[in-house]
Amino acid sequence: DSEGGLYVCMNTFLGFGREHIERHYRKTGQCVYLHLKRHVIEKVPGASGGALPKRRNAKLFLDLETSSDLNSDDFEYEDEAKLIIFPDHYEISLPNIEELPALVTIACDALLSAKSPYRKQESDSWEEELQASKHAKTLLQLDNGVRIPPSGWKCSKCDLRENLWLNLTDGSVLCGKWFFDGSGGNGHAMEHYKETGYPLAVKLGTITPDGADVYSFDEEEPVLDPHIAKHLAHFGIDMLQMQVTENGLRDNDIKPRVSEWEVIQEAGVKLKPMYGPGYTGMKNLGNSCYLNAVMQAIFSIPEFQRAYVGNLPRIFDYSPLDPTQDFNTQMAKLGHGLLSGQYSKPPVKSELIEQVMKEEHKPQHNGISPRMFKAFISKGHPEFSSNRQQDAQEFFLHLINLVERNPVGSENPSDVFRFLVEERTQCCQSRKVRYTERVDYIMQLPVAMEAATNKDELIAYELKRQEAEAARRPLPELVRAKIPFRACLQAFSEPSNVEDFWSSALQAKSAGVKTSRFASFPEYLVVQIKKFTFGLDWIPKKLDVSIDMPDFLDISHLRARGLQPGEEELPDIAPPIVIPDDPKALDIDESSVMQLAEMGFPLEACRKAVYYTGNLGAEVAFNWIIAHMEEPDFAEPLVISAFGEVASSGAAALGAVGLDNQPPEEMVAIIISMGFQRNLAIQALKATNNNLERALEWIFSHPDPEEESDPALDTMDMENNANANILAETGSEGPRIKDGPGRYELFGFISHMGTSTMSGHYVCHLRKEGRWVIYNDLRVCASERPPKDLGYIYFYHRIP
């Protein structure tokens, strides 16, 4: 229903607006387009002066959403379709059986009657109902005394800490399936089912008062478990109590939680709508407010505006033939929608006197619907591709990962968030230290609850709350803990214990502590308040606290200082690797070995492949086989050649530092087997202290490393670099960073309402043109009371 309508290419069925159709014609040579236009028509008034009764409009044949801005009693729609032949713009009105060939008529009819792919996707996501598992009612649960803690889970077979599943029969915690994008696990949960026949598992991290994600290995699909509360209680997860706590109170008892929603959304205050460039809202597609809030913050940053909106003509000119599958095209399209002002126009009153009297408005384009962007950016991701609520912080990191993998122009806009963290690890017994560096994008601040300044009020409130719950009376007015920001900053800088620390000075396990400092300060500092946690009773909870976040922040005192005089470094010695006398007793995933052997590869080669890839699964081992098939000892038995040369099991062990500080050849081979060049593999391992997992992350965050070149030429290039802020570029020295002073000013924050990141609502506040603005999905208004103390993610920009 835009002014120019939509042009659909009859070859690719891609749709283009009027301003882009000429570009597509010049690029592809496609000359036949179906032009679709929806007209908004005022209804003819009836005899009594009102609009005619509503009737089915036979002229409305496109499966498109109607504007919610229009009063359906006074307006109706009429769709128009034409064939347009380029370059002469020859028009053929439809339907036209006489002039058009039968095949063309059939194609046009099929296109006009087709269901919108996004509506179909939405329908599939919402209407498909899970079925109760046939095993739920009679599920066997072993009385083995297993109790599951509320956090700190890891796979019992490979030590992975993500994509973990709790088997509801014996309480085993095992990892899920490995995916080709690097996420997932090693499939140990499935292997356990094949060995034991225990059919049901619940995904850890998805348990809420409303239920959990349950999978049936026997039925090979996600299922409902009507008895999930009882099954979880068997392992010490008190979901029934959680349901009573969250849902068992009367409506007027939940006033404190409603209050949070009111404060963050500034309810009860008349807010002035904002219009124009940079004040465009985004439609909520169903729990997509996390995406809306993050993208509003991202496109308020000049570097992202220049990279995508500033380069829009170039990005569109060089986009692939299917731009729906191109990240940079979708980013540029979204950024243009938010910043152009074309979709954020103030209402214009009608010139007709009677409509002015009734204060009716002409239809306006207000806000954008990011359907195509969400479909692309979440494609293949098990969480973001769903219609469930997500964690805005996780989506931010997912977006930055995609920006890193899809460079645009000479500068990568995500460089503004990147900083180096120096980690100082000290052996408590020998007092010797080790300094390492890693890349990060978010500063995570713990909530220092013990530093609350209103402890007496909190204690009194808690007593009243317990009494009210026991007597089934309305809860008292909420009292939030008031936490000083300086206390959270102090908690961030304090040492933390290192689990399973192995001291190279003692050649044994010892107590160790670690402290983190900034080796560089980013241009834009993103601060996350760690509000979400689990109680000891497994009840997920959000710390509903008020933190006096400063408008101006100085963290210069957190600058890393490196090895200090008098400090002695820990020896560069790897932990010992216990090698069994019997080679068959090596920790090798035999199921992966058999999968490879069934493909026809020699058994010993399969064993080596699985061993040298750290039991990461058959897919990774297969890549290793392909890369080593031509080697003369390819089918020779596995031999461990030297102490410390190879990791014994797991990706974490592969990160051990070698005696000569050279990357172990086996880890280099693993990365090469994934399709990367040898020099890039060595560079990544050196930059991450031979940690395989971090090396892969490093590679994906540095898609265009500099090739080896003449040092003299490199020096000349650095001297001629126009951007003096860049103190370190991607290359052999490490990741790209933009270091500078550690002084910042707040310009935005994202707030969350609700009890969990898997539920609730997100809102974004941004400071623009000297005032705060609230972005609440489609609603964009001047903020009167920005709740800076209740935010979840804060955005600061560096000041000189």
Side-chain angles (χ1 to χ4, degrees):
D1 55 4
S2 62
E3 184 178 348
L6 182 70
Y7 292 81
V8 180
C9 174
M10 293 301 292
N11 182 52
T12 62
F13 303 110
L14 295 173
F16 301 89
R18 185 170 62 184
E19 64 270 29
H20 303 297
I21 188 62
E22 291 283 353
R23 177 186 282 110
H24 185 260
Y25 164 68
R26 292 194 304 268
K27 179 188 292 188
T28 65
Q30 302 295 335
C31 58
V32 182
Y33 296 86
L34 183 64
H35 183 220
L36 306 174
K37 181 72 176 76
R38 172 164 289 176
H39 301 277
V40 181
I41 303 173
E42 187 176 1
K43 290 183 179 180
V44 179
S48 61
L52 290 175
K54 190 174 181 180
R55 55 185 170 80
R56 184 181 181 275
N57 187 358
K59 295 183 179 181
L60 188 64
F61 50 78
L62 297 176
D63 181 38
L64 300 173
E65 293 182 351
T66 56
S67 175
S68 58
D69 295 336
L70 299 181
N71 185 340
S72 60
D73 293 331
D74 299 320
F75 294 93
E76 64 181 359
Y77 300 92
E78 180 177 309
D79 293 338
E80 178 187 16
K82 298 178 183 178
L83 273 183
I84 307 294
I85 313 298
F86 279 72
D88 299 326
H89 292 263
Y90 181 74
E91 296 184 1
I92 303 176
S93 297
L94 296 177
N96 194 328
I97 302 176
E98 293 80 9
E99 295 186 35
L100 294 176
L103 288 178
V104 176
T105 300
I106 293 173
C108 291
D109 290 343
L111 185 60
L112 293 173
S113 60
K115 188 175 184 180
S116 167
Y118 298 108
R119 185 165 299 193
K120 182 178 185 302
Q121 182 185 63
E122 195 175 74
S123 173
D124 292 343
S125 300
W126 286 103
E127 294 178 8
E128 181 181 357
E129 294 186 1
L130 300 180
Q131 300 298 317
S133 171
K134 63 182 181 182
H135 301 286
K137 188 175 181 179
T138 59
L139 182 70
L140 170 67
Q141 291 195 283
L142 303 182
D143 191 12
N144 53 11
V146 173
R147 291 294 180 268
I148 305 300
S151 60
W153 321 297
K154 63 180 180 180
C155 177
S156 59
K157 289 190 177 181
C158 68
D159 291 345
L160 281 182
R161 295 180 179 270
E162 60 180 13
N163 192 22
L164 299 177
W165 294 78
L166 167 67
N167 189 286
L168 291 175
T169 294
D170 63 358
S172 299
V173 176
L174 299 160
C175 60
K177 183 181 179 182
W178 184 87
F179 298 103
F180 284 97
D181 65 352
S183 63
N186 299 322
H188 289 137
M190 173 63 77
E191 291 176 13
H192 185 67
Y193 161 70
K194 292 179 179 179
E195 295 170 359
T196 63
Y198 300 153
L200 296 184
V202 60
K203 187 174 183 180
L204 292 175
T206 68
I207 303 170
T208 70
D210 300 320
D213 292 350
V214 181
Y215 187 83
S216 171
F217 297 109
D218 178 51
E219 295 157 284
E220 297 183 347
E221 62 180 355
V223 295
L224 289 177
D225 181 0
H227 309 283
I228 183 66
K230 182 183 75 171
H231 293 156
L232 290 173
H234 182 81
F235 300 108
I237 305 172
D238 196 347
M239 189 175 177
L240 285 177
Q241 178 184 345
M242 177 168 56
Q243 288 175 334
V244 170
T245 302
E246 297 292 341
N247 302 326
L249 302 176
R250 298 183 295 273
D251 290 341
N252 57 355
D253 292 340
I254 61 174
K255 181 179 178 181
R257 184 62 60 190
V258 174
S259 176
E260 178 191 43
W261 289 67
E262 292 174 348
V263 172
I264 291 178
Q265 296 186 99
E266 302 187 53
V269 180
K270 188 174 182 180
L271 302 180
K272 178 184 176 182
M274 302 288 286
Y275 301 98
Y279 299 105
T280 304
M282 297 175 67
K283 182 178 180 181
N284 193 323
L285 306 177
N287 288 326
S288 65
C289 53
Y290 67 92
L291 180 149
N292 295 348
V294 171
M295 298 315 300
Q296 292 284 9
I298 286 292
F299 275 112
S300 71
I301 296 174
E303 284 76 3
F304 280 85
Q305 295 174 0
R306 291 195 298 267
Y308 295 105
V309 183
N311 284 328
L312 185 141
R314 175 181 171 273
I315 291 173
F316 282 3
D317 285 339
Y318 291 95
S319 64
L321 294 181
D322 185 0
T324 65
Q325 301 304 309
D326 180 61
F327 176 77
N328 292 330
T329 300
Q330 295 305 313
M331 283 287 284
K333 175 186 171 186
L334 180 68
H336 176 264
L338 293 176
L339 301 176
S340 66
Q342 294 181 14
Y343 308 97
S344 179
K345 298 180 180 179
V348 179
K349 291 191 176 182
S350 173
E351 296 178 356
L352 298 178
I353 297 178
E354 60 269 21
Q355 290 184 338
V356 172
M357 296 298 293
K358 291 193 293 184
E359 295 186 350
E360 292 182 348
H361 303 104
K362 290 183 178 180
Q364 298 291 325
H365 295 293
N366 194 4
I368 60 176
S369 177
R371 291 185 184 277
M372 188 177 295
F373 179 80
K374 183 179 185 298
F376 173 78
I377 201 172
S378 62
K379 184 178 180 181
H381 194 285
E383 294 300 328
F384 299 132
S385 60
S386 71
N387 278 316
R388 296 188 294 270
Q389 186 62 278
Q390 303 297 333
D391 188 344
Q393 179 256 356
E394 291 181 3
F395 178 75
F396 171 80
L397 292 178
H398 175 67
L399 177 73
I400 295 303
N401 186 29
L402 290 176
V403 173
E404 294 278 6
R405 296 190 189 190
N406 298 273
V408 53
S410 58
E411 277 196 50
N412 195 318
S414 64
D415 291 352
V416 300
F417 297 123
R418 187 186 300 108
F419 59 92
L420 293 177
V421 177
E422 177 192 84
E423 292 186 338
R424 177 185 181 272
T425 306
Q426 183 174 33
C427 172
C428 295
Q429 188 168 342
S430 68
R431 313 302 296 176
K432 295 182 179 181
V433 298
R434 174 178 292 120
Y435 286 87
T436 58
E437 287 187 351
R438 61 176 174 84
V439 172
D440 213 334
Y441 295 88
I442 292 182
M443 179 186 188
Q444 294 183 310
L445 279 187
V447 177
M449 292 296 294
E450 67 281 356
T453 59
N454 56 340
K455 292 181 179 178
D456 292 340
E457 294 179 47
L458 292 171
I459 294 173
Y461 165 75
E462 184 62 23
L463 291 174
K464 292 179 181 178
R465 187 189 64 81
Q466 293 177 2
E467 292 174 358
E469 284 185 351
R472 307 294 295 176
R473 296 196 309 266
L475 295 179
E477 184 176 351
L478 176 68
V479 176
R480 287 191 179 90
K482 296 179 180 180
I483 311 296
F485 173 76
R486 64 179 183 275
C488 299
L489 204 59
Q490 177 65 29
F492 170 83
S493 61
E494 289 179 351
S496 60
N497 294 325
V498 181
E499 295 183 7
D500 296 326
F501 176 69
W502 187 86
S503 171
S504 58
L506 305 176
Q507 297 285 298
K509 285 190 175 184
S510 171
V513 294
K514 180 174 67 176
T515 54
S516 298
R517 293 290 186 274
F518 285 84
S520 69
F521 290 121
E523 192 163 342
Y524 287 82
L525 179 66
V526 182
V527 180
Q528 177 199 13
I529 306 299
K530 299 174 69 174
K531 290 186 173 184
F532 299 98
T533 183
F534 283 95
L536 295 177
D537 52 4
W538 249 90
I539 298 177
K541 62 179 181 178
K542 172 183 172 182
L543 302 177
D544 195 356
V545 297
S546 172
I547 301 177
D548 59 336
M549 296 297 294
D551 289 324
F552 295 93
L553 172 63
D554 190 345
I555 55 173
S556 302
H557 64 286
L558 295 180
R559 169 78 75 171
R561 295 176 295 175
L563 188 68
Q564 296 297 295
E567 288 184 335
E568 186 177 353
E569 288 190 271
L570 286 164
D572 188 13
I573 301 176
I577 299 173
V578 180
I579 304 175
D581 296 332
D582 181 6
K584 293 184 180 180
L586 291 172
D587 185 9
I588 296 178
D589 184 1
E590 293 298 338
S591 64
S592 297
V593 173
M594 295 311 299
Q595 288 184 52
L596 297 171
E598 290 172 358
M599 300 179 188
F601 299 115
L603 181 62
E604 290 299 331
C606 299
R607 289 173 57 79
K608 287 201 294 186
V610 173
Y611 179 80
Y612 286 134
T613 53
N615 287 322
L616 291 178
E619 291 89 347
V620 179
F622 175 80
N623 292 332
W624 187 95
I625 287 177
I626 297 301
H628 294 77
M629 287 183 65
E630 304 301 324
E631 297 178 0
D633 61 345
F634 174 68
E636 296 296 321
L638 173 63
V639 177
I640 306 299
S641 55
F643 165 79
E645 186 176 348
V646 195
S648 60
S649 67
L654 285 167
V657 179
L659 293 173
D660 56 359
N661 204 30
Q662 285 295 111
E665 189 60 33
E666 287 71 20
M667 281 191 277
V668 176
I670 292 173
I671 297 178
I672 293 175
S673 71
M674 297 179 182
F676 300 106
Q677 296 181 354
R678 178 180 177 82
N679 64 334
L680 179 60
I682 294 175
Q683 185 177 334
L685 288 166
K686 284 185 176 181
T688 56
N689 291 322
N690 297 334
N691 184 305
L692 182 61
E693 290 181 352
R694 287 175 53 201
L696 292 174
E697 294 176 359
W698 190 93
I699 289 174
F700 287 126
S701 65
H702 301 78
D704 294 315
E706 296 178 359
E707 297 293 333
E708 295 182 3
S709 57
D710 189 338
L713 295 177
D714 290 345
T715 302
M716 292 176 59
D717 290 340
M718 290 180 65
E719 292 174 350
N720 294 329
N721 192 341
N723 189 348
N725 289 330
I726 302 179
L727 301 185
E729 292 289 333
T730 302
S732 58
E733 297 301 320
R736 303 179 305 272
I737 58 172
K738 294 188 175 184
D739 199 2
R743 298 185 300 273
Y744 296 91
E745 182 179 3
L746 181 69
F747 74 93
F749 59 96
I750 294 174
S751 307
H752 174 268
M753 295 149 279
T755 57
S756 165
T757 56
M758 292 176 284
S759 62
H761 184 58
Y762 287 97
V763 167
C764 178
H765 282 77
L766 297 172
R767 187 171 179 82
K768 290 190 175 182
E769 300 178 319
R771 69 177 306 165
W772 285 96
V773 180
I774 179 174
Y775 293 79
N776 189 355
D777 291 333
L778 281 173
R779 231 176 136 224
V780 180
C781 300
S783 173
E784 296 294 334
R785 303 171 185 170
K788 290 183 284 187
D789 60 325
L790 300 181
Y792 174 46
I793 301 174
Y794 293 85
F795 294 85
Y796 287 85
H797 67 83
R798 184 160 58 208
I799 54 179

